[in-house]
Amino acid sequence: MFAAFLQYLFSGLTSGAIYALAGLGFAIIYNASHVINFAQGEFIMIGGMATATMVAAGVPVYLAIPLAMAASMLVGVAMEKFAIEPARNSDVVTIIIITIGASIFLRGAAQIIWDKEFHSLPAFSGETPIAVLGATLMPQSLWVFGISAVAIALLWYFFNRTMFGKAMLGTSHNRLAAQLVGVAVKKVLLASFALSALLGAVGGIVVTPITFTNYEAGIMLGLKGFSAAVLGGLGNGTGAIVGGLIVGIAEAMASGYLSSAYKDAIAFIIILFVLFFMPSGLFGKRGTDRV
Amino acid sequence: MNLMTARTGGLAALAIFITVAPLGFSNSYFYDVGVNAMFNAILCVGLNLLIGYAGQISLGHAGFFALGAYGSGILTERYGMPAIGALVLSASVVGVLAFVVARPILKLKGHYLAMATLGIGIIIHIVLKTEAGITGGPDGMSVGNFKMLGFTVKGDQMWYWVTGVLLVLAVWLSLNLIQSPVGRALRAVHGSEVGAEVVGVDTSSYKVLVFVVSAVFASIVGSLFAHKNGFITPDISSFFHSVELVTMVVLGGMASIYGALIGAVILTLLPQLLAAVEQYEAMILGAIMMGTMIFMPKGLLPSLLASLKRREAGK
């Protein structure tokens, strides 16, 4: 009874950590530019696919991982430069369509560069399950928790202790004021895309040994990351992490105790409830419109 | 009512175009593509009322379309209901569903609204895929011909004329809606919701109304699509299909009924034209979406009209 619960919890935390990374990616870009990047899931896909295919081709893992991360960042920067920046003054619907267009484009490209097959990576440290109070934990899940925690800690350090990170935070609060005190806003926007692409790639790489990946793998991961971000309150980093974990755990519990067929629907059911009753998410600011 | 206004002119041009176009059709494939283009056009004319005129995005409209399709399929195939009854019943159920969710959903703005409508679409998709006992699950289900009063609509050619009439009807209805006080209220909502509220427009009622109307449009087209196609799968309710519909509206031109129509036709024809380079189709579609939005954020038709006007003014 308890063992089963623990088992669901482990699996929920594992996917929740990935949703949290994706949600953070949404939050970073949203803060810097008020853009919701529907191609966030594609960064995850690119990280996983690039690493998996390079490793399969004989590139050592320690080389394949940084290369995949760099590739994903490059895509993020290119996307900001060529698709988002030229349309900066457009309205929300327009920018949503642009980022959806980018995600379709990247999926199409992935399908040509790689293929339509599923790819996997060997687990980082073996497949021997660890027994915990009657439940089992895969070592790869520990990697997912550990690396997500490290990524989150580094982000915290970056935003609170480095000059550039503070400049990014400043931009998110008030772009004009940041510009006036000498923040290069354009660089901040580029950096936000690079950073969230990097986060996405990290998530994609650590999760690939567990879930496999293919050119379409980014869609659901991206949408769940989006719900995590909205659940927490758009643009709130802590919110995105909490939101990701809630979505992951709720999903695992629902698929364990209720029905596994409806697992994917859970995130969206939660999000509808939250939006109906707390329209700005759990940690969102309650804003008023100025007329 | 004055019959010779700009809008009746456009309507006449549309009717003439639909009548004349088949002269260039060399086989039934053209009729088939034509019918699909017009299905999408009807759907987009409805969706455009919501997105273009009221300024409310919906990333879940494929869900309403699929509910119409499955409603008709299930009621006619499993319960032997007459096709027209199934169509009306499905559309009413979709209308009621849209009405129930509209009020809480339309309180949301921007990205939150996008997320909520997306969520509804995905939940519908998952239900259709999972409840295999009723819907046939991922394998889909067959739907018979559309029979009414002893008359059967079948064959690409007959569907073409039926759909053509319906498209003209849909455009006429929307034009009337837009020109009416309701239309003015909607545009006020788009301009400034608070402003509209201040001058006494009951903004939430109007938003709910247009949401329900656009969902019913989608449901009716879904029902017809099911009969015409003869086979439906849950794919018709996918997130991608919702995105496609929104793209048609935005590509052709928001707040322009004929723009939405043109967007629908272009995006329906595109895959046919790209069939030769099938593996690049997704990339090209993505590039077109990005390119149009970057260089013509108002959409094709309004941008073209604006540049024509500029040229005339420059003379």
Side-chain angles (χ1 to χ4, degrees), chain A residues 30 34-36 38 82-83 86-87 90-94 96-98 100-102 104-105 107-109 111-112 219-220 223 226-227 230 233-234 261-262 264-265 268-269 271-272 275-276 279-281 289 291, chain B residues 51 55 57 59 101 104-105 108-120 122-123 126-127 130-131 192 194-195 239-240 243 246-247 250 254 278-280 282-287 289-290 293-294 297:
Chain A
Y30 182 79
H34 281 258
V35 167
I36 278 293
F38 275 88
F82 300 118
S90 316
D91 57 273
V92 175
V93 180
T94 310
I96 287 181
I97 305 267
I98 290 178
I100 293 178
I104 294 174
F105 181 86
R107 266 198 309 272
Q111 193 187 320
I112 294 168
I219 306 179
M220 261 301 161
L223 293 179
F226 184 22
S227 10
V230 171
L234 268 182
Y262 282 104
D264 280 332
F268 302 100
I269 293 171
I271 210 70
L272 282 180
L275 287 180
F276 284 176
S280 42
D289 275 335
V291 187
Chain B
I51 300 182
I57 193 173
L59 287 178
V101 295
I105 268 200
L108 305 166
K109 287 192 178 62
H111 296 114
Y112 291 100
L113 179 64
M115 179 77 234
T117 51
L118 187 164
I120 290 182
I122 289 187
I123 291 169
I126 294 175
V127 171
T130 308
E131 298 301 326
S192 161
V194 187
F239 172 57
F240 183 72
V243 167
V246 175
T247 311
V250 183
M254 283 189 274
E278 206 194 330
Q279 61 175 143
Y280 295 98
M283 274 179 82
I284 297 174
L285 177 66
M289 285 168 75
M290 289 190 282
M293 288 301 93
I294 293 169

Side-chain angles (χ1 to χ4, degrees), chain A residues 171-255:
Chain A
T171 311
S172 78
H173 289 307
N174 188 331
R175 185 183 291 194
L176 185 62
Q179 220 155 11
L180 288 175
V181 297
V183 173
V185 169
K186 276 192 171 176
K187 268 191 201 150
V188 165
L189 295 182
L190 273 180
S192 72
F193 271 80
L195 199 57
S196 73
L198 178 68
L199 273 182
V202 168
I205 294 166
V206 290
V207 82
T208 299
I210 304 175
T211 58
F212 301 93
T213 186
N214 79 339
Y215 77 106
E216 284 188 314
I219 306 179
M220 261 301 161
L221 286 171
L223 293 179
K224 302 264 179 71
F226 184 22
S227 10
V230 171
L231 183 57
L234 268 182
N236 183 312
T238 321
I241 298 167
V242 176
L245 292 176
I246 292 178
V247 169
I249 293 170
E251 228 176 59
M253 295 297 165
S255 92

Side-chain angles (χ1 to χ4, degrees), chain B:
Chain B
M1 192 176 75
N2 185 356
L3 280 175
M4 279 323 288
T5 56
R7 59 182 160 132
T8 45
L11 212 54
L14 175 68
I16 292 171
F17 181 80
I18 293 173
T19 320
V20 174
L23 294 177
F25 290 180
S26 45
N27 55 40
S28 72
Y29 168 76
F30 285 84
Y31 283 99
D32 180 52
V33 175
V35 174
N36 283 326
M38 290 195 291
F39 276 159
N40 282 332
I42 299 174
L43 224 162
C44 287
V45 166
L47 189 55
N48 187 31
L49 294 174
L50 181 70
I51 300 182
Y53 288 97
Q56 313 293 314
I57 193 173
S58 166
L59 287 178
H61 252 57
F64 297 127
F65 171 80
L67 285 182
Y70 272 95
S72 278
I74 292 165
L75 292 172
T76 55
E77 293 304 301
R78 302 211 200 289
Y79 298 97
M81 205 183 220
I84 186 76
L87 179 144
V88 171
L89 184 58
S90 308
S92 323
V93 171
V94 167
V96 170
L97 177 74
F99 180 77
V100 171
V101 295
R103 209 164 270 269
I105 268 200
L106 293 169
K107 272 189 197 145
L108 305 166
K109 287 192 178 62
H111 296 114
Y112 291 100
L113 179 64
M115 179 77 234
T117 51
L118 187 164
I120 290 182
I122 289 187
I123 291 169
I124 293 175
H125 179 63
I126 294 175
V127 171
L128 293 177
K129 222 164 64 181
T130 308
E131 298 301 326
I134 308 167
T135 64
D139 296 336
M141 67 180 292
S142 338
V143 185
N145 283 325
F146 193 93
K147 293 196 189 78
M148 199 171 106
L149 307 169
F151 183 76
T152 309
V153 185
K154 68 176 183 191
D156 295 318
Q157 216 154 329
M158 201 191 286
W159 270 108
Y160 180 86
W161 297 112
V162 171
T163 320
V165 171
L166 290 174
L167 174 59
V168 172
L169 202 65
V171 171
W172 179 73
L173 272 175
S174 315
L175 284 170
N176 277 323
L177 188 72
I178 290 311
Q179 306 285 332
S180 73
V182 177
R184 280 195 291 278
L186 286 178
R187 272 169 288 170
V189 169
H190 194 180
S192 161
E193 208 165 305
V194 187
E197 197 86 58
V198 168
V199 293
V201 177
D202 180 2
T203 55
S204 52
S205 298
Y206 283 116
K207 286 199 287 182
V208 170
L209 172 76
V210 75
F211 189 77
V212 172
V213 168
S214 70
V216 168
F217 264 57
S219 169
I220 293 174
V221 177
S223 296
L224 295 171
F225 170 86
H227 289 292
K228 156 78 174 70
N229 216 39
F231 193 78
I232 46 177
T233 67
D235 276 349
I236 58 172
S237 61
S238 68
F239 172 57
F240 183 72
H241 190 206
S242 288
V243 167
E244 235 178 357
L245 297 174
V246 175
T247 311
M248 288 173 182
V249 171
V250 183
L251 175 78
M254 283 189 274
S256 155
I257 287 177
Y258 295 108
L261 214 151
I262 289 170
V265 172
I266 292 177
L267 275 194
T268 317
L269 297 184
L270 195 66
Q272 319 294 328
L273 301 175
L274 294 181
V277 285
E278 206 194 330
Q279 61 175 143
Y280 295 98
E281 193 191 317
M283 274 179 82
I284 297 174
L285 177 66
I288 290 178
M289 285 168 75
M290 289 190 282
T292 325
M293 288 301 93
I294 293 169
F295 300 111
M296 291 184 255
K298 287 195 170 25
L300 282 174
L301 191 62
S303 299
L304 282 177
L305 289 178
S307 83
L308 271 180
K309 243 182 214 164
R310 264 201 307 277
R311 200 178 282 179
E312 241 162 59
K315 258 183 205 163

